[in-house]
Amino acid sequence: MSMPHAANLPLWAAILVAAFLVIGAGLTLIGSFGFWRLRSFYDRVHAPTLGTSWGTGGIVFASMIYFTVLELRPVVHEILIGIFVTVTMPVTLMLLARAAIYRDRAEQNPDVPVMEPARARLEEASTGSETGSRLQNGI
Amino acid sequence: MSEMIVVFAVWVAHGALALAMIFAMARMMRGPRAQDRVLGLDTLYVNSMLQLLVFGIRTGSTFYFEAALIIGVLGFVATAALAKFLMRGEVIE
């Protein structure tokens, strides 16, 4: 494999691009390995965020630096991918985790905490018991 | 010299991302439940998007960027729809 267009890249840019590429790809690999390795779904849901935060960030920065230096003009459209992935990934994972806990509660899986109905908590609070007032104060 | 450094880094990035895709695929096949498979698909989407960006650096063309952007958008929509389906049993109510 050869990249003749990379030959006229200055050394500092090459080092920077290489460092960002290796950091980004390595973090993505660590995230995916954790996703494969961790035990429960609620542990696993955290692992791929490594790839979507600095994994994507590193590779996007590498691409931006590479094309900016190579084409002698600012090339920043890759930042769109970075912004988009950073914004959408929390939404995705929140939706998925809520769906998972909903399914676990629906089959009364003992591994997840049961949901206290809000009405029961309110009634307990209105009777003025100690736990009720504690809940009312939001502690 | 600088070509060698970039070529080496691109090789390492390709290998690491390919391994990450294998891990995501293994979790997607193994399950054990539907949410694991959906999250595995999402991770696979993100990893393949990054793989395409590295392809763009390797070939020196910016065409791969558009494919990567489309994969990112479709991955988000697909995962959101599948999460909605897991929660409610239908996507559009």
Side-chain angles (χ1 to χ4, degrees):
Chain A
M1 188 173 94
S2 75
M3 296 164 57
H5 49 273
N8 46 8
L9 201 70
L11 188 61
W12 62 269
I15 290 173
L16 218 55
V17 166
F20 271 122
L21 266 182
V22 172
I23 288 171
L27 281 176
T28 310
L29 176 60
I30 293 169
S32 291
F33 179 70
F35 176 56
W36 179 67
R37 191 84 179 85
L38 289 173
R39 276 169 298 138
S40 82
F41 176 77
Y42 302 103
D43 295 337
R44 282 197 286 269
V45 80
H46 295 281
T49 55
L50 218 56
T52 55
S53 54
W54 265 107
T56 307
I59 292 176
V60 161
F61 271 125
S63 183
M64 272 162 56
I65 294 168
Y66 185 73
F67 286 111
T68 299
V69 173
L70 213 61
E71 299 186 6
L72 301 174
R73 65 183 176 91
V75 180
V76 291
H77 56 243
E78 283 93 346
I79 200 86
L80 276 177
I81 289 182
I83 291 173
F84 189 79
V85 168
T86 313
V87 167
T88 56
M89 200 59 182
V91 180
T92 308
L93 293 187
M94 291 274 282
L95 277 173
L96 211 53
R98 283 178 69 89
I101 202 160
Y102 179 81
R103 281 161 65 96
D104 274 341
R105 276 176 179 156
E107 14 182 273
Q108 293 173 342
N109 191 335
D111 294 335
V112 297
V114 293
M115 186 167 66
E116 294 176 56
R119 186 181 297 277
R121 267 191 298 176
L122 275 178
E123 279 167 6
E124 202 179 359
S126 64
T127 55
S129 67
E130 195 180 331
T131 52
S133 58
R134 247 186 336 126
L135 282 169
Q136 209 168 19
N137 293 335
I139 301 173
Chain B
M1 180 65 188
S2 57
E3 182 190 352
M4 209 179 70
I5 293 172
V6 176
V7 165
F8 177 73
V10 163
W11 262 115
V12 171
H14 269 313
L17 289 174
L19 206 57
M21 285 172 82
I22 289 173
F23 281 137
M25 185 108 90
R27 177 51 80 185
M28 194 176 80
M29 286 173 146
R30 197 167 114 194
R33 303 205 60 204
Q35 52 260 38
D36 292 292
R37 295 179 201 272
V38 173
L39 191 56
L41 187 69
D42 191 64
T43 312
L44 196 61
Y45 262 112
V46 171
N47 290 346
S48 59
M49 188 192 74
L50 296 180
Q51 190 80 279
L52 272 183
L53 278 180
V54 179
F55 264 113
I57 292 179
R58 197 177 94 185
T59 56
S61 80
T62 52
F63 293 118
Y64 286 100
F65 159 76
E66 283 142 30
L69 193 61
I70 287 175
I71 287 183
V73 174
L74 286 185
F76 167 64
V77 174
T79 313
L82 282 171
K84 187 88 191 335
F85 178 77
L86 287 186
M87 192 143 169
R88 309 289 293 178
E90 53 189 329
V91 179
I92 301 169
E93 305 179 53

